[in-house]
Amino acid sequence: MWAWYIELFSVVYAVLFFSGWLVDRLDWVRKLKNTLGRVLTHEATMWIHRLNLVAVTLIAIHVSIIPRVSRLTGFMVVFYLYTVAALGIYLWGKLVAPASPRRQAVVAGNTSLNATTRELTFTLDPDAPLPAPGDFYFVSFRGIPGFSQAAHPFSVSRLDAEDSTVSMTVHASGDLTSRISEAAAGTPVTLEGPFGQFEKEIEAHHGSPLVLIGMGAGIAPLLGIAQAWAGKRPVMVVDVVSKPEDLYYRDAFSSLCGVNFRPHLHRLHRNDVNRLVRETSMMGVSSSDTAQNADTADADTIRSSDRHNARPLFIVVGPAAGVLVTQRMLRAAGVPREDRLDERLTL
């Protein structure tokens, strides 16, 4: 019975703290999570999630002491093999894999971008796999007294393949990130990853112009994507910020050949999105066609089958609420689902 209660609690807790499906859509659930988050920090949440290990142990004991079940030899063999395999994979991932040299890195630099945002650069192991543009890692810091060692997800903003270094943008808003300035050069870290699907999706959209919309810290992975595809495809970047000092990557984007950088103060509204869709529907079309059709283009143009090039691919990254609203506005403006990707910063 205790195993059942633990599993039920774990499911409810995971939906609230690990899944954005309800939190992103219901305002009262988001407020409940934020209220509980003042006490139940990310580190506490990770430990609570490990109650599943207790539940698995209790279930194994419970099954073993039920005579009518334990007499089923075939079932018990499969049950024990599955249980041992599941626990073995978990323990390997938590105790053995992090010790691999390929997952070790050190802080090479820690630069302030503005009052609340920093860019950390890490030197990777020479044999470590390099991330694709837009990827992210789970990063845990070691060797700092009183500093949390729980893994936190950070997106890669820059990659230097020659020096095996990656840079990640960190917004100081949580229990760990508020102390991120203490991670001095030479601090050892463990990286889990890289993870991400943006590169595969972009390659699958052959020749599609890219429209990158970043909100707040969501601009970080878009810098790497813009750097990778500048000069190869038409690229437009919309940096949505609440104040001018948040445009910390303005110069980096503006220096990229063929990248159209658009700063946007405050949130996007429906008219802004409609205007963006009208304009980007002509990306990649010849200049003579653009001049002829610029005044008459509308949202339906993006669905036209006789386009000279593929339809633009919209990639939206930022806080979950802002991403969902922007996705709805893009859909209303006529952008098909297959031409919209997003990443929601929910953890």
Side-chain angles (χ1 to χ4, degrees), residues 133-246:
D135 279 0
F136 67 94
Y137 287 91
F138 282 90
V139 183
S140 55
F141 295 82
R142 298 178 285 111
I144 304 178
F147 200 73
S148 170
Q149 295 188 21
H152 283 62
F154 298 134
S155 295
V156 175
S157 51
R158 307 176 196 254
L159 167 65
D160 188 332
E162 293 184 1
D163 294 336
S164 293
T165 62
V166 295
S167 296
M168 305 182 196
T169 306
V170 181
H171 181 69
S173 60
D175 45 321
L176 176 140
T177 53
S178 60
R179 297 181 56 191
I180 205 69
S181 60
E182 299 178 28
T187 300
V189 299
T190 299
L191 303 178
E192 183 180 353
F195 304 105
Q197 294 293 324
F198 280 146
E199 186 72 359
K200 293 180 181 179
E201 293 287 349
I202 292 173
E203 291 178 348
H205 286 70
H206 302 288
S208 293
L210 303 178
V211 183
L212 313 178
I213 304 175
M215 292 173 279
I219 197 65
L222 302 184
L223 176 58
I225 294 175
Q227 289 175 327
W229 292 97
K232 301 176 182 177
R233 299 188 190 184
V235 179
M236 177 182 288
V237 178
V238 182
D239 192 356
V240 183
V241 298
S242 58
K243 49 187 182 298
E245 52 265 37
D246 290 338

Side-chain angles (χ1 to χ4, degrees), residues 32-285:
L32 175 61
K33 176 185 176 181
N34 292 339
T35 300
L36 294 176
R38 298 170 187 171
V39 178
L40 301 173
T41 63
H42 181 73
E43 289 75 15
T45 297
M46 296 302 295
W47 277 106
I48 292 174
H49 190 63
R50 294 180 183 121
L51 285 173
N52 285 294
L53 294 176
V54 178
V56 170
T57 302
L58 292 175
I59 291 171
I61 295 173
H62 181 70
V63 170
S64 300
I65 63 177
I66 300 177
R68 65 178 180 274
V69 176
S70 60
R71 284 196 292 264
L72 302 174
T73 305
F75 171 80
M76 293 304 298
V77 169
V78 173
F79 175 79
Y80 284 129
L81 288 176
Y82 180 83
T83 302
V84 170
L87 291 176
I89 292 172
Y90 175 82
L91 293 174
W92 179 86
K94 292 298 180 182
L95 301 178
V96 180
S100 169
R102 291 162 56 91
R103 292 180 59 173
Q104 306 309 307
V106 295
V107 176
N110 188 341
T111 305
S112 174
L113 299 178
N114 63 18
T116 58
T117 310
R118 306 189 71 87
E119 183 178 67
L120 274 70
T121 301
F122 304 94
T123 301
L124 306 177
D125 184 87
D127 295 327
L130 295 177
D135 279 0
F136 67 94
Y137 287 91
F138 282 90
V139 183
S140 55
F141 295 82
R142 298 178 285 111
I144 304 178
F147 200 73
S148 170
Q149 295 188 21
H152 283 62
F154 298 134
S155 295
V156 175
S157 51
R158 307 176 196 254
L159 167 65
D160 188 332
E162 293 184 1
D163 294 336
S164 293
T165 62
V166 295
S167 296
M168 305 182 196
T169 306
V170 181
H171 181 69
S173 60
D175 45 321
L176 176 140
T177 53
S178 60
R179 297 181 56 191
I180 205 69
S181 60
E182 299 178 28
T187 300
V189 299
T190 299
L191 303 178
E192 183 180 353
F195 304 105
Q197 294 293 324
F198 280 146
E199 186 72 359
K200 293 180 181 179
E201 293 287 349
I202 292 173
E203 291 178 348
H205 286 70
H206 302 288
S208 293
L210 303 178
V211 183
L212 313 178
I213 304 175
M215 292 173 279
I219 197 65
L222 302 184
L223 176 58
I225 294 175
Q227 289 175 327
W229 292 97
K232 301 176 182 177
R233 299 188 190 184
V235 179
M236 177 182 288
V237 178
V238 182
D239 192 356
V240 183
V241 298
S242 58
K243 49 187 182 298
E245 52 265 37
D246 290 338
L247 296 169
Y248 37 77
Y249 284 139
R250 177 199 290 267
D251 293 341
F253 280 111
S254 300
S255 66
L256 297 176
C257 180
V259 173
N260 185 350
F261 178 71
R262 300 289 184 86
H264 186 93
L265 285 177
H266 309 302
R267 67 180 62 184
L268 289 171
H269 296 284
R270 186 176 298 275
N271 289 339
D272 301 319
V273 173
N274 289 339
R275 190 183 309 112
L276 179 65
V277 171
R278 288 197 300 269
E279 183 175 355
T280 56
S281 67
M282 306 306 297
M283 289 176 67
V285 180

Side-chain angles (χ1 to χ4, degrees), residues 17-19 33 42 138 151-153 173 344-347:
F17 280 88
F18 289 89
S19 170
K33 176 185 176 181
H42 181 73
F138 282 90
H152 283 62
S173 60
R344 304 167 200 173
L345 309 180
T346 56
L347 287 180

